[in-house]
């Protein structure tokens, strides 16, 4: 069984997933403490399963994680049934008011300016970092704009989010847990202030829409926090992992020069997914792909393993930016399917378009540095030249 903290595994987890898939669709994983689904069919069944849900359990000791637990207990992602339905309808309703279309020209302009900054860095120093200049900057600016987050909270957002999401890793350690709670407390305070401000001065932003939808104060904080975190963490890593994949396959980078961007975006999400693991808890005794899951126990879907399943994808380990049949699970499936998928697709396409037109000779300048995390798979640095 793989070790999610092993550096060799993190560098390339896909051979280990292939070995597991060959042995069967679901396996017990002693160190994760849950069984893991590794085939596309088993992961799909798990995400769609009506007998399985996202059942939130407070981080313990609860007194030490008051703000972290408040954010998650009230987030639509961690709810099921009526509250999930109600909050999801409020967020979907707000998105349907045309925010993604409204932001499109602004997103394209921003991606262009950031790639110009990257080009200026390369011209000045010989190389520049795709993560710092483009991948981390673009999604944070976009989601902060969408929710109308002002400075200085806008600049603090990435730090808060990075600190909080380490709690989703299998074994974050005491220090990272304490940092996650401190970040959560600052985040909650900032969001309460923002919500109060929007109550008095409504604007064009999504927080104003959520205030108008009448959801309660804690739910508003939890849902705004989810949007701000889910709305950028994965997108940062799709751009980073995706550009790395393209630069490791220069022939595919050349194909992308004239290929449609839609299929390329889907392929980058499939080839090296930014989110590797999602859990569900059985609400009654049930099974996934024949594996018994008693009521109250957890089971995980390994999206990276599903993404390379040869039962579903032809030549699964090949990067093919023109791939036509690509039913990847990168945005999830079922009732929790990603609400931000259209926005994420727009952002990744805008970043790729700016890169291919403004820096067609893009190449790796040095080996990238990987973040030492399994669930949120991404890079710390990606030095490029042109
Ligand atoms: C490429 C980038 C993205 C990826 C790969 C991604 C992936 C996912 C996945 C896999 C889920 C389902 C989790 C589960 O089933 O347990 C999800 C849910 C969600 N995502 Fe995304 N996401 C991305 C970008 C975004 C953006 C930009 C936003 C917001 C603007 C967003 C908002 C949400 C929300 C609100 C949910 C919860 C939906 C619910 O519980 O009903 N995501 N996302």
């Amino acid at each position: 069984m793989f070790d999610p903290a092993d550096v060799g595994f993190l560098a390339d987890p896909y051979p280990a997933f292939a070995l597991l898939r060959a042995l069967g669709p679901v396996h017990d994983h002693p160190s994760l403490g849950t069984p893991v689904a590794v085939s596309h069919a088993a992961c799909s069944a798990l995400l769609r399963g009506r007998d399985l849900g996202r059942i939130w359990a407070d981080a313990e000791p609860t007194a030490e994680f008051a703000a972290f637990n408040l954010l998650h207990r009230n987030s639509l992602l961690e709810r099921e049934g009526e509250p999930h339905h109600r909050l999801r309808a409020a967020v979907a309703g707000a998105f349907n008011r045309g925010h993604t279309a409204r932001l499109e020209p602004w997103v394209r302009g921003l991606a262009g300016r950031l790639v110009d900054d990257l080009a200026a860095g390369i011209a000045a120093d010989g190389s520049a970092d795709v993560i710092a200049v483009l991948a981390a900057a673009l999604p944070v600016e976009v989601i902060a704009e969408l929710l109308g987050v002002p400075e200085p909270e806008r600049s603090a957002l990435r730090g808060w989010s990075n600190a909080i999401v380490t709690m989703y890793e299998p074994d974050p350690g005491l220090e990272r847990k304490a940092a996650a709670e401190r970040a959560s407390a600052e985040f909650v305070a900032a969001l309460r202030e923002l919500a109060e401000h929007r109550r008095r001065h409504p604007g064009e932003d999504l927080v104003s829409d959520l205030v108008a939808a009448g959801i309660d104060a804690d739910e508003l904080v939890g849902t705004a926090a989810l949007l701000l975190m889910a709305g950028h963490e994965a997108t940062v890593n799709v751009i980073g992992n995706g550009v790395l994949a393209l630069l490791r396959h220069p022939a595919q980078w050349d194909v992308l020069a004239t290929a449609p961007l839609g299929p390329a975006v889907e392929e980058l999400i499939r080839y090296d997914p930014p989110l590797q693991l999602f859990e569900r808890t059985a609400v009654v005794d049930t099974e996934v792909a024949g594996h018994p899951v008693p009521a109250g126990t957890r089971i995980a879907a390994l999206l990276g393993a599903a993404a390379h399943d040869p039962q579903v994808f032809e030549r699964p380990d090949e990067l093919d930016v023109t791939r036509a049949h690509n039913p990847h699970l990168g945005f999830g499936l079922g009732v929790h399917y990603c609400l931000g998928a259209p926005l994420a697709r727009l952002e990744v396409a805008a970043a790729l378009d700016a890169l291919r037109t403004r820096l067609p000779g893009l190449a790796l300048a040095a080996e990238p540095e990987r973040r030492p995390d399994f669930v949120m798979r991404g890079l710390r640095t990606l030095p490029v030249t042109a």
Side-chain angles (χ1 to χ4, degrees):
M1 189 55 73
F2 62 88
D3 171 1
D6 179 74
V7 176
F9 167 75
L10 287 178
D12 182 7
Y14 302 102
F17 292 156
L19 289 175
L20 277 180
R21 267 193 323 267
L23 293 173
V26 181
H27 303 269
D28 285 319
H29 192 297
S31 79
L32 287 176
T34 62
V36 291
V38 291
S39 72
H40 189 281
C43 288
S44 303
L46 200 164
L47 293 173
R48 276 191 203 279
R50 291 178 170 249
D51 296 341
L52 298 140
R54 288 195 64 116
I55 310 297
W56 174 252
D58 275 348
E60 292 185 347
T62 49
E64 284 174 28
F65 293 102
F68 177 83
N69 288 334
L70 180 137
L71 283 182
H72 289 80
R73 217 185 293 131
N74 289 290
S75 135
L76 89 115
L77 180 59
E78 304 301 346
R79 315 285 290 272
E80 291 292 342
E82 188 282 325
H84 173 256
H85 205 74
R86 183 169 45 79
L87 290 174
R88 187 169 167 104
V91 175
F95 265 112
N96 288 344
R97 284 176 17 98
H99 287 292
T100 304
R102 169 173 72 84
L103 284 181
E104 178 163 354
W106 184 84
V107 173
R108 292 193 183 285
L110 178 61
R113 287 195 299 283
L114 294 173
V115 172
D116 284 346
D117 291 347
L118 195 68
I122 294 171
D125 303 324
S127 73
D129 181 10
V130 168
I131 302 297
V133 182
L134 174 67
L138 178 73
V140 176
E141 282 297 318
V142 172
I143 197 69
E145 183 72 17
L146 184 73
L147 274 88
V149 177
E151 288 291 0
E153 288 78 12
R154 188 174 282 217
S155 300
L157 179 60
R158 178 110 179 104
W160 288 333
S161 179
N162 276 187
I164 292 169
V165 300
T166 60
M167 289 287 274
Y168 310 153
E169 298 299 327
D171 189 10
L174 283 180
E175 222 170 276
R176 299 216 288 177
K177 285 181 170 180
E181 175 58 18
R182 279 196 303 276
S184 301
E186 289 179 24
F187 203 7
V188 169
L191 287 173
R192 285 211 194 287
E193 212 171 289
L194 177 64
E196 195 38 48
H197 178 71
R198 289 296 168 212
R199 218 178 290 280
R200 281 183 275 115
H201 307 284
E204 281 296 290
D205 57 281
L206 217 137
V207 170
S208 297
D209 292 345
L210 293 177
V211 169
I215 59 178
D216 87 27
D218 285 349
E219 287 177 340
L220 201 140
V221 165
T223 299
L226 167 70
L227 285 168
L228 287 166
M229 293 193 297
H232 84 268
E233 284 287 347
T235 317
V236 170
N237 292 331
V238 171
I239 299 173
N241 297 352
V243 172
L244 175 62
L246 288 164
L247 299 185
R248 289 225 195 276
H249 300 85
Q252 287 294 304
W253 174 247
D254 291 344
V255 171
L256 190 68
T258 53
L261 289 169
V265 170
E266 302 308 314
E267 177 65 349
L268 296 181
I269 294 171
R270 180 200 73 84
Y271 183 75
D272 198 10
L275 302 170
Q276 292 277 328
L277 178 150
F278 282 100
E279 274 183 11
R280 293 292 188 267
T281 303
V283 286
V284 293
D285 288 348
T286 187
E287 53 83 32
V288 171
H291 189 96
V293 189
T297 60
R298 294 175 300 137
I299 175 165
L302 294 193
L303 299 189
H308 287 236
D309 186 342
Q311 297 284 339
V312 174
F313 302 102
E314 272 177 36
R315 304 164 284 107
D317 296 326
E318 271 178 40
L319 179 73
D320 175 0
V321 293
T322 64
R323 189 180 289 275
H325 179 67
N326 195 350
H328 67 75
L329 303 177
F331 288 117
L333 211 60
V335 294
H336 290 285
Y337 182 82
C338 180
L339 276 170
L343 181 65
R345 288 180 167 124
L346 163 65
E347 291 180 52
V348 179
L352 292 176
D353 201 29
L355 284 169
R356 71 178 180 179
T357 48
R358 293 165 199 236
L359 287 170
L362 199 68
L364 273 181
E367 274 306 296
E369 195 188 330
R370 180 165 291 290
R371 288 167 60 151
D373 299 322
F374 166 56
V375 177
M376 314 286 289
R377 178 170 174 74
L379 301 174
R380 199 172 268 155
T381 63
L382 178 54
V384 293
T385 188

